[in-house]
Amino acid sequence: MDEAVARWRGLLAEAAPRHVLLEGFHALKHALRFGAVVPVALCTDRAGTLELAAELAPDLGEVLARLLVEVDAQAVRALVPRPHPTGVAALAERPAPAAVAAALRGERRTPVVVLDQPRHLGNAGAVVRLAAGFGASGVVTTGPLDPWHPTVVRGGAGLHFATAVAPLEVSELPGGPLFALDPEGADIRGLALPDDALLAFGSERHGLSAGLRARADQLVALPMRPQVSSYNLATSVGMALFHWASASGAAPA
């Protein structure tokens, strides 16, 4: 136990921290399934966690049996700002920026979601989770929000490792036709979104930035009842991805 806690503290004390916190069993499960490197994983009830794994993630039973170290709840509270009810916490290596950039710029068969100047960390995490579920090639953000912020990773339930997640400037966006969601755009129901599309969404309050709007190939709008001002950001992303998936052979079955 002491060795695992010391290793945890040492990783976070690095001059240039490379690790992100995975909070809870499901975040650890998802990260491992999609290839995350997890140097340390703690739990307050090892036997109970392995029982949960046998029920919900039997494919990871042997990996978790080797990885999990049981510590007392007080030790977890000292290491994690808000311990998860499952009593599981882990550290995972954040993917190298160069590898993420290469994945985004390579040949794509599914869209990239672009969040333009997002403000809400939880919404950004929910978008990562949606994008992973739909098999999107990536989620990129413009502006100051870090898409690998601990609150975003928490909202993404460990699924940052299932897609390419990166902060970029508008000028750095990968190639492909850019469809930007805007109330003044064409009704999305009359459009076929190509598999290599960029689907861009403005901030929760201010909408699309001028730079992103100028970069867009087409403005598109989601159907919405009059006098309803907007949808939640993650809801909008889910609607657009579902529209793409309903007509694409590249979408998950």
Side-chain angles (χ1 to χ4, degrees), residues 34-128:
F34 290 98
V37 176
V38 179
V40 58
L42 309 177
C43 64
T44 56
D45 179 3
R46 188 173 186 276
T49 303
L50 291 176
E51 286 182 10
L52 187 62
E55 178 184 357
L56 301 179
D59 55 310
L60 297 174
E62 292 184 6
V63 174
L64 289 168
R66 292 194 303 269
L67 186 61
L68 288 168
V69 176
E70 183 170 305
V71 298
D72 59 46
Q74 184 176 354
V76 173
R77 286 195 296 271
L79 297 173
V80 179
R82 190 173 69 185
H84 193 271
T86 59
V88 174
L91 294 178
E93 288 186 13
R94 179 170 170 170
V100 176
L104 288 168
R105 296 195 177 100
E107 184 177 353
R108 301 192 313 270
R109 298 188 64 245
T110 59
V112 169
V113 175
V114 180
L115 302 183
D116 186 33
Q117 303 281 338
R119 298 291 192 275
H120 193 281
L121 296 166
N123 275 346
V127 168
V128 171

Side-chain angles (χ1 to χ4, degrees), residues 84-224:
H84 193 271
T86 59
V88 174
L91 294 178
E93 288 186 13
R94 179 170 170 170
V100 176
L104 288 168
R105 296 195 177 100
E107 184 177 353
R108 301 192 313 270
R109 298 188 64 245
T110 59
V112 169
V113 175
V114 180
L115 302 183
D116 186 33
Q117 303 281 338
R119 298 291 192 275
H120 193 281
L121 296 166
N123 275 346
V127 168
V128 171
R129 192 168 184 173
L130 272 167
F134 277 99
S137 292
V139 176
V140 302
T141 60
T142 69
L145 182 144
D146 177 9
W148 285 88
H149 185 281
T151 302
V152 183
V153 175
R154 182 188 307 133
L159 286 163
H160 279 60
F161 296 92
T163 188
V165 179
L168 296 175
E169 301 295 334
V170 172
S171 61
E172 298 173 327
L173 292 176
L178 193 153
F179 295 81
L181 278 290
D182 186 273
E184 298 177 0
D187 192 322
I188 196 171
R189 291 172 291 183
L191 299 172
L193 299 175
D195 292 338
D196 64 344
L198 306 179
L199 304 179
F201 302 81
S203 72
E204 296 88 339
R205 178 169 296 184
H206 302 292
L208 297 168
S209 66
L212 196 289
R213 184 182 289 268
R215 165 73 169 76
D217 294 289
Q218 184 164 355
L219 299 180
V220 297
L222 296 169
M224 187 164 56

Side-chain angles (χ1 to χ4, degrees), residues 3-14:
E3 182 180 347
V5 170
R7 189 176 189 193
W8 182 293
R9 289 177 171 151
L11 291 172
L12 292 185
E14 293 176 343

